[in-house]
């Protein structure tokens, strides 16, 4: 049922060879694995990211093929949304602070939709050591990318399109566009993957890191199948706008 839902939503994947994707270590329950867990505070987060990458990879695969652009857009959208949810959980839910104190809240006069900005949101998205941007850009640099994309341009575009029909639509060449929009990926996938991600998070701040690790897993697994700069563009063009909107229905599926 889960796989058929993805096939129905995303259409027929392009005929791209399935890259190998290591999802677990057979020695995870050995004493050496216990030692690694004690020495690495991100051990659980990394494990969760690998599991999410594997589950989403499997769900979006059909006949040993995967549409990488759709997979990267979906993970980027989820990672961006995870940034906002992590801030909400830490400050609005746990501390009981109102949204207006936590975020810069902007309501569009064009469509009445409310958007969220602010330093607390930018930190897990693009500024911290383990931000979505840091993890994704670090991965593509390891894959050989010399010139990073202009992240500030993406932020400007998102701000300029608030309330308009272009908001949340990645500026990607038509032949490389994902099968669905970022907002639809969040609406469909967040209810399924949020509980799994939570299980690996010791604090709300870990949530975006889990999805950032999942992005890294797919980027490394798809080496040679997609240009690193294009992959990074897809991820961040999906992540930035999805960090700005709140989708209540995504919490209920």
């Amino acid at each position: 049922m889960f796989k058929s839902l993805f096939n129905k939503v995303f259409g027929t994947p392009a005929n791209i060879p399935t890259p190998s994707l290591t999802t677990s270590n057979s020695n995870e329950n050995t004493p050496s694995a216990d030692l690694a867990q004690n020495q690495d505070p991100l051990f659980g987060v990394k494990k969760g990211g690998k599991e999410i990458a594997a589950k989403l990879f499997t769900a979006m695969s059909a006949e040993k093929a995967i549409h990488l652009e759709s997979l990267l857009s979906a993970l980027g959208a989820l990672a961006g949304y995870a940034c906002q949810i992590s801030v909400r959980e830490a400050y609005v839910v746990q501390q009981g602070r109102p949204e207006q104190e936590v975020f810069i809240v902007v309501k569009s006069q064009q469509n009445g939709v409310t958007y969220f900005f602010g330093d607390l949101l930018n930190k897990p998205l693009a500024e911290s050591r383990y931000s979505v941007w840091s993890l994704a850009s670090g991965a593509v640099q390891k894959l050989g990318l010399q010139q990073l994309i202009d992240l500030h341009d993406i932020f400007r575009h998102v701000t300029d399109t608030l309330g308009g029909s272009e908001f949340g639509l990645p500026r990607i060449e038509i032949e490389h566009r994902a099968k669905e929009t970022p907002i639809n990926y969040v609406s469909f996938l967040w209810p399924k993957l949020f509980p799994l991600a939570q299980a690996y998070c010791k604090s709300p701040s870990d949530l975006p890191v889990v999805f950032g690790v999942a992005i890294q897993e797919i980027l490394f697994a798809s080496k040679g199948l997609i240009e690193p700069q294009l992959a990074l563009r897809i991820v961040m063009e999906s992540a930035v706008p999805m960090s700005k909107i709140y989708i209540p229905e995504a919490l209920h599926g």
Side-chain angles (χ1 to χ4, degrees), residues 10 14 44 53 56 91 108 156 195 220 228 232 239 244:
F10 302 145
L56 192 53
Y91 295 93
S108 170
R156 285 193 297 268
F220 290 137
L232 184 59
K244 309 304 180 189

Side-chain angles (χ1 to χ4, degrees), residues 17-88:
T18 302
S20 61
L21 182 64
T22 302
T23 60
S24 62
N25 189 326
S26 59
N27 296 319
E28 281 181 349
N29 296 321
T30 65
S32 60
D34 292 337
L35 178 61
Q37 184 170 3
N38 292 331
Q39 292 178 340
D40 185 358
L42 295 178
F43 181 87
V45 170
K46 293 175 181 177
K47 185 178 178 181
K50 290 181 178 182
E51 184 170 347
I52 285 174
K55 285 185 178 298
L56 192 53
F57 183 94
T58 300
M60 294 179 68
S61 299
E63 299 178 357
K64 297 185 178 180
I66 184 76
H67 190 251
L68 285 174
E69 290 91 338
S70 293
L71 180 57
L72 289 168
S73 182
L75 280 171
L78 291 165
Y81 196 66
C83 294
Q84 187 189 143
I85 296 301
S86 71
V87 174
R88 284 184 175 278

Side-chain angles (χ1 to χ4, degrees), residues 184-240:
N184 281 344
Y185 285 134
V186 172
S187 298
F188 292 137
L189 300 177
W190 187 258
K192 296 174 173 59
L193 295 177
F194 178 46
L196 176 61
Q198 271 190 313
Y200 290 97
C201 295
K202 293 182 179 180
S203 69
S205 62
D206 289 338
L207 189 59
V209 186
V210 170
F211 286 97
V213 170
I215 290 170
Q216 283 197 330
E217 287 291 302
I218 297 302
L219 288 172
F220 290 137
S222 59
K223 181 179 180 180
L225 299 177
I226 186 171
E227 289 295 326
Q229 187 181 77
L230 172 61
L232 184 59
R233 284 173 53 212
I234 292 172
V235 167
M236 296 311 300
E237 288 266 357
S238 301
V240 176

